Amino acid sequence: MGVGVLGVGHYVPSKIVTNLDLEKVVDTSDEWIRTRTGIEERRIADDMDTSDMAYHASLSALEDAGVRPEELDLILVATVTPDTAFPSVSCMLQEKLGAVKAAAMDVSAACAGFMYGMITAKQFIETGSYKHILVVGAEKLSKITDWEDRNTCVLFGDGAGAAVMGEVSENKGILSFELGSNGSGGKHLYLKDDGFLAMNGREVFKFAVRQMPESSLNVLEKAGLQKEDVDFLVPHQANIRIMEAAMEKLGISEERMAKVIQKYGNNSSASIPMALSESVKDGKIRDNDVIVLVGFGAGLTWGAVALRWGR
Ligand SMILES: CC(C)(COP(=O)(O)OP(=O)(O)OC[C@H]1O[C@@H](n2cnc3c(N)ncnc32)[C@H](O)[C@@H]1OP(=O)(O)O)[C@@H](O)C(=O)NCCC(=O)NCCS
């Protein structure tokens, strides 16, 4: 048997903040943000918290998978912006969904969190311990964003993405993976004592431009695949220039890469499942496609998965 994705879903709050809106708050311009990052607008969850967005994305993924909340064995929520330090978002989600037999825990691996969640889920399913696992990436980054800091406030947004994982046929599902960390780079992206995010953009950029292609190529090699075998790439949506670097190294054309950064900005752990879910719903990912999911983030952390789509 294989271990794969049975269904996907995502949720974004309705409030849109455009680059022009940000021009009124900090010394920036629509032109700078578009050309340096690829972002045009982002969503902000004023009256919702991370667990609320996780709930809506999860409902959609469960429906897509045809799995009832009572059938879930485990809930993993990747987030760096939990509603509160404890209880976990995954426990809040367990209650909201009525997932009566599910165990629940949060995963803290920043923007690579969803990849860590997926691979954790894979182990439980492979051993036969669990059958259905809900993996969610959900973030309310607006609450840790300093809206007076132009270096960071233009980059982030709120949202959630989810996947129900379980058994799929032998030749489908996850073909290979890579997870990694380098704590010595923690100083480049962290939460300050004042509760706001701090970032050394240039250092993170250099790391990401190297790591995304490297991890993607590593998972292909582990799966015995070539660059040419990749049908679709779902990269973390941090900066269009980082995404394009990965695209070029893999020799992938723009139509074969998930791109939602212009609408949503960087949603940390939610970016990959949101981009995956939109791509599936838009018909860009089809049965039997080889896809690569790849992310990087604070920690530093990174993760990539090669996957044959379908059940
Ligand atoms: C943050 C990032 C967009 C900055 O782009 P960049 O091209 O590297 O820009 P630089 O950092 O070299 O800054 C260039 C200038 O633009 C300025 N600038 C920064 N933010 C700005 C903004 N929003 N509007 C206008 N100017 C801005 C800087 O102050 C700097 O000015 P200076 O040269 O006078 O000091 C880019 O480094 C990046 O995307 N890094 C990775 C971030 C990331 O992925 N984070 C999340 C990881 S999960």
Side-chain angles (χ1 to χ4, degrees):
M1 68 144 197
V3 175
V5 175
L6 307 178
V8 286
H10 65 284
Y11 176 83
V12 290
S14 57
K15 180 174 172 185
I16 296 173
V17 173
T18 65
N19 292 346
L20 295 175
D21 293 329
L22 290 180
E23 279 185 7
K24 294 174 199 141
V25 188
V26 286
D27 179 16
T28 190
S29 68
D30 176 45
E31 205 264 335
W32 192 96
I33 304 171
R34 271 175 204 262
T35 52
R36 306 312 292 160
T37 72
I39 301 166
E40 293 167 20
E41 55 189 45
R42 68 284 295 142
R43 302 298 178 104
I44 301 297
D46 276 341
D47 52 354
M48 288 182 121
D49 217 326
T50 300
S51 65
D52 302 310
M53 293 185 280
Y55 171 65
H56 290 293
S58 300
L59 281 184
S60 163
L62 285 162
E63 194 191 337
D64 190 40
V67 170
R68 286 177 290 116
E70 313 86 74
E71 293 177 284
L72 290 174
D73 300 300
L74 176 63
I75 298 174
L76 297 171
V77 177
T79 187
V80 291
T81 49
D83 299 30
T84 170
F86 57 89
S88 63
V89 175
S90 50
C91 278
M92 294 177 185
L93 186 56
Q94 182 274 338
E95 201 247 331
K96 284 180 206 276
L97 289 171
V100 285
K101 70 166 183 176
M105 65 173 172
D106 286 1
V107 177
S108 177
C111 305
F114 185 78
M115 311 310 301
Y116 272 76
M118 268 189 118
I119 297 310
T120 305
K122 172 179 148 64
Q123 314 308 317
F124 282 108
I125 296 163
E126 224 157 45
T127 56
S129 308
Y130 289 150
K131 213 162 154 37
H132 296 115
I133 301 183
L134 175 66
V135 186
V136 184
E139 302 287 2
K140 186 172 178 173
L141 292 168
S142 58
K143 69 181 176 189
I144 59 164
T145 300
D146 178 352
W147 292 99
E148 291 177 2
D149 175 15
R150 70 171 183 175
N151 291 300
T152 53
C153 78
V154 301
L155 301 174
F156 301 101
D158 301 335
V164 179
M165 292 186 60
E167 279 182 29
V168 295
S169 19
E170 184 67 48
N171 57 344
K172 290 189 174 165
I174 295 176
L175 306 170
S176 62
F177 72 89
E178 170 176 288
L179 297 175
S181 72
N182 175 7
S184 72
K187 57 184 177 288
H188 299 318
L189 185 53
Y190 63 97
L191 194 67
K192 290 181 293 175
D193 290 343
D194 64 7
F196 291 133
L197 173 156
M199 182 181 73
N200 179 338
R202 267 176 223 183
E203 284 304 319
V204 178
F205 191 92
K206 279 195 275 178
F207 155 67
V209 162
R210 182 176 44 79
Q211 195 61 51
M212 289 244 285
E214 195 175 303
S215 294
S216 305
L217 292 171
N218 286 347
V219 290
L220 288 176
E221 194 184 336
K222 282 187 192 174
L225 296 170
Q226 312 290 327
K227 288 193 285 190
E228 296 70 36
D229 297 318
V230 179
D231 294 299
F232 204 75
L233 176 69
V234 185
H236 175 45
Q237 314 275 309
N239 185 317
I240 191 66
R241 294 182 288 142
I242 299 173
M243 292 158 63
E244 282 168 356
M247 198 176 87
E248 275 157 32
K249 287 252 167 65
L250 289 176
I252 281 180
S253 60
E254 211 182 320
E255 314 78 69
R256 293 197 287 131
M257 179 178 76
K259 185 178 152 230
V260 295
I261 186 169
Q262 70 285 7
K263 299 192 282 185
Y264 305 141
N266 180 346
N267 304 97
S268 190
S269 69
S271 276
I272 291 176
M274 284 164 66
L276 174 68
S277 172
E278 273 215 16
S279 303
V280 171
K281 280 165 193 175
D282 291 347
K284 291 181 182 165
I285 295 176
R286 288 177 292 262
D287 201 41
N288 263 320
D289 277 355
V290 170
I291 66 169
V292 172
L293 312 175
V294 58
F296 64 91
L300 302 167
T301 56
W302 60 91
V305 166
L307 178 85
R308 189 176 292 282
W309 194 252
R311 298 175 70 162

